[in-house]
Amino acid sequence: MAAPSNRYNINANPATHRGIAWDFGPRRGWFRRCVNFFVLVVNVVAALALLLTGYGGVFNPENWGGWVFVPMIFPVVLLVSLAIFIIDLIWWRRTALMQGVALLLCAGPIADFCPLNYPRLSMSDEEKANAIKIMTYNVFKFSDFTRAYEGNGNPTLDAILREDADIVCLQECMGITLSRIGRSTPEQIDSVFARYPYVYQGGKNTALLSKFPAEPIPLQINSDTTVRNNGEGAAWRVHIDDDRIINLFNLHLRSLYLTPGDKEQFTGIVKDIVKLDTLDIDGLRFFRANAMAKIAEAAKARADQIKTLEKYIAKYGGKNVIVCGDFNDVNGCYGINSLCHESRLRRTYPLVAFGPTVTFHANHLFFRIDHILFRGDLEPYSISSPRIPYSDHYPLVATFIMK
């Protein structure tokens, strides 16, 4: 009887048998282990990055200014984590569990960035009777950011009148006068005062337009008045009627204080990335050493201003409080986290909005840095950011129902 052929014997010597020369069993196992290890490392890094950026705003930038950048990159990290999670579900289901847990743990920050609330299309008669519409708007000194408006009058004033909010909190507003507002007409100014009989200037750069009577609350949050664009705040006690009062805080916190050259350099870096072009390494290093240091320093100043603001809220806030304005910081930042924790305020946007939005749109810096916080007998009904292009900010408009 002939001996069995070892042509297909996996133990045969590949050097002498062609049928076995192409067997990559051990080599393939080594490659697969390397790939699995790489996938595991990527998932661990992505999960930790998601958690860190999602909750990075709990850390005080006064201790280290670099914390300010952590919440800013959360949207990018979130998109990367979602992509990894989908890929894992297709090819590496075991590691998908890790990414899925990280996404669940970040449900709060995700809902803050991209809420999915079903919009309410109608309001009952009782709700209409108790509705209060509030606008916060950095008006860019009423300049035309587009440099393309060809109509008569000031376009920002027209936009404010069209929105017809009950209370309008303005930042970078030097006053509601013909001399202060470029291209404004006497008819526009008259329309503003007819619509809003209570107009108050709350400092050099903040103002209030109100259909309800109001009285100022003493507020001083500047810690260093020698710095340009250091920020400021103003507060008013707004009397909705004889029994209902809202203590309103209008903020314009310390700006990033980037020069036009810094912003232009950042715009060039973004364009290079989008075009997949070669980055200017020297320019990138200079931006990191110069502009990023300014941003970190500004974050420390804002943290100090938030502490001062919390003391005023504790002293004058009372039951119904609204804090709004240009925070110069993103959702999930330290300032908002601290106000929600220390002053028991709530974020309006994640409760009633649908999808992400931006309120700052200049120099390829697309962030939501204008916010509205509240507490008391106020129920948020809606919030939106109309795309009015004449300032470097979009306004934020919220409707509340006073219970």
Side-chain angles (χ1 to χ4, degrees), residues 31 39 51 66 77 114 142 152 235 267-268 281 335 348 373 376:
F31 179 74
V39 170
L51 293 169
V77 176
C114 182
F142 286 99
N152 295 322
T267 301
I281 302 300
T348 304
L373 311 176

Side-chain angles (χ1 to χ4, degrees), residues 243-283:
D243 300 322
R244 296 182 295 181
I245 295 174
I246 296 176
N247 294 305
L248 180 67
F249 295 82
N250 179 16
L251 305 179
H252 185 203
L253 298 182
R254 169 73 180 270
S255 72
L256 301 183
Y257 195 42
L258 297 178
T259 65
D262 295 331
K263 295 177 181 178
E264 185 177 349
Q265 197 167 45
F266 177 81
T267 301
I269 292 172
V270 172
K271 288 181 178 179
D272 289 342
I273 294 174
V274 172
K275 295 179 180 178
L276 299 178
D277 202 352
T278 304
L279 284 174
D280 181 2
I281 302 300
D282 292 336

Side-chain angles (χ1 to χ4, degrees), residues 37 43 83 145 147 162 208 222 241 255 300 308 320 341 361 363:
F37 178 76
N43 274 270
F145 182 76
R147 300 180 181 178
R162 282 197 305 271
L208 174 72
N222 290 346
D241 52 35
S255 72
K300 295 179 181 180
T308 304
N320 298 319
H341 182 263
H361 59 92
N363 303 107

Side-chain angles (χ1 to χ4, degrees), residues 68-96:
V68 68
F69 299 103
V70 177
M72 293 173 67
I73 62 174
F74 174 72
V76 177
V77 176
L78 175 61
L79 290 175
V80 172
S81 295
L82 288 171
I84 292 174
F85 181 61
I86 293 172
I87 293 172
D88 283 348
L89 286 176
I90 299 173
W91 285 293
W92 289 278
R93 294 187 179 179
R94 291 182 180 179
T95 51

